[in-house]
Amino acid sequence: GHKGLIYYIIFLMIWESIGISTVPLETAAGMIFGVQKGLFANGIGRLGGAMVAYSLGRIFFKGYVRSKLSDNEILSLVEKSMTSRPLRTSLTMKYSIFPEAIKNYGLSIMTPVKPWIFALATFIHGFPFTIVWTNLGWDSSMRLKVNEMAKRATATPEDDLIDAGSTMVSSPTTLPPNKLLGVAVVFVTVWGIVGSPAIMALWIRDLRKNHTNEKKKEEKRQN
């Protein structure tokens, strides 16, 4: 019911604010609530939790977070590039291989990253993944239901309908492969293993190059 949905959103917000992977929860939400309610709950929960982390980092833990991250060369370079391109840099940071907690709390202490910039970057980065994991949960739930029906002693007519929330799926013993979902899951997996680290490496290289060029320009001015 609605209470369960609200409780789940609150729990997901806490989970996200701590910085733990939300993939298992988002997939489970798709299985339990269906696609539409699952997308709503996961979208609100993830964005809300990220904003909670941002607010905590900026208001209460700014000094603590800065002291913990002050020795991180990469984050220092990121902060310098924030001044000219805050949204683009925030998005690149979100797509990086840093743990979620470092992404959220690290961005929270950077002055150019306004709340709307952080929220927009979080949504653009996170919601496509939310769509994939929620649909994966729903698809898995439907296949489990169909398999359960196939094992029942009484045969199910071929025209029986399985209620799938807003979608009605007709199949007596199995569902056809969801090719689009399969491609999306493979893409997300490959992106996490190959794409994200590669972009991160190129990004860090550019940051270091820009930093070196700025230092050279500054030295020429002084001379």
Side-chain angles (χ1 to χ4, degrees):
H2 295 301
K3 284 187 177 180
L5 201 65
I6 293 172
Y7 290 151
Y8 169 74
I9 291 174
I10 295 173
F11 181 75
L12 182 59
M13 288 175 64
I14 297 171
W15 192 273
E16 169 70 20
S17 67
I18 296 173
I20 306 175
S21 173
T22 60
V23 172
L25 294 182
E26 292 183 271
T27 305
M31 298 180 72
I32 297 170
F33 300 116
V35 175
Q36 292 183 351
K37 290 183 178 180
L39 281 176
F40 172 79
N42 286 333
I44 296 296
R46 280 197 66 177
L47 180 58
M51 293 306 300
V52 168
Y54 174 89
S55 301
L56 290 173
R58 175 150 293 197
I59 298 172
F60 298 106
F61 305 131
K62 190 170 185 177
Y64 175 78
V65 173
R66 187 170 290 281
S67 67
K68 289 294 182 180
L69 302 180
S70 59
D71 295 331
N72 191 303
E73 177 199 2
I74 297 174
L75 290 178
S76 298
L77 293 173
V78 170
E79 188 168 15
K80 291 177 181 178
S81 69
M82 280 290 181
T83 304
S84 57
R85 295 172 292 187
L87 179 58
R88 178 180 172 183
T89 307
S90 296
L91 270 172
T92 309
M93 178 75 169
K94 280 289 184 176
Y95 281 107
S96 72
I97 58 175
F98 282 122
E100 197 66 23
I102 292 181
K103 295 177 187 179
N104 289 336
Y105 288 97
L107 288 173
S108 73
I109 66 172
M110 299 182 186
T111 304
V113 184
K114 306 301 181 184
W116 72 267
I117 293 177
F118 179 84
L120 183 59
T122 300
F123 178 80
I124 293 174
H125 161 259
F127 197 67
F129 293 101
T130 293
I131 293 174
V132 173
W133 302 130
T134 304
N135 276 278
L136 179 62
W138 170 81
D139 186 76
S140 301
S141 176
M142 290 301 98
R143 294 180 189 281
L144 289 172
K145 288 180 180 179
V146 169
N147 289 337
E148 183 180 347
M149 289 178 62
K151 293 177 181 179
R152 289 177 183 173
T154 56
T156 304
E158 290 192 0
D159 58 347
D160 272 3
L161 295 178
I162 303 167
D163 187 2
S166 61
T167 306
M168 305 297 288
V169 181
S170 176
S171 178
T173 57
T174 186
L175 292 176
N178 191 329
K179 294 182 180 180
L180 180 60
L181 180 59
V183 170
V185 172
V186 170
F187 174 79
V188 169
T189 303
V190 173
W191 171 262
I193 297 174
V194 180
S196 182
I199 289 180
M200 180 78 172
L202 293 172
W203 182 43
I204 294 172
R205 185 197 66 180
D206 289 341
L207 289 175
R208 285 173 173 163
K209 184 178 180 181
N210 292 336
H211 180 64
T212 301
N213 291 337
E214 289 177 3
K215 286 183 67 175
K216 288 180 178 179
K217 289 180 181 179
E218 186 64 27
E219 288 175 356
K220 287 182 179 179
R221 291 173 186 170
Q222 292 177 356
N223 294 332

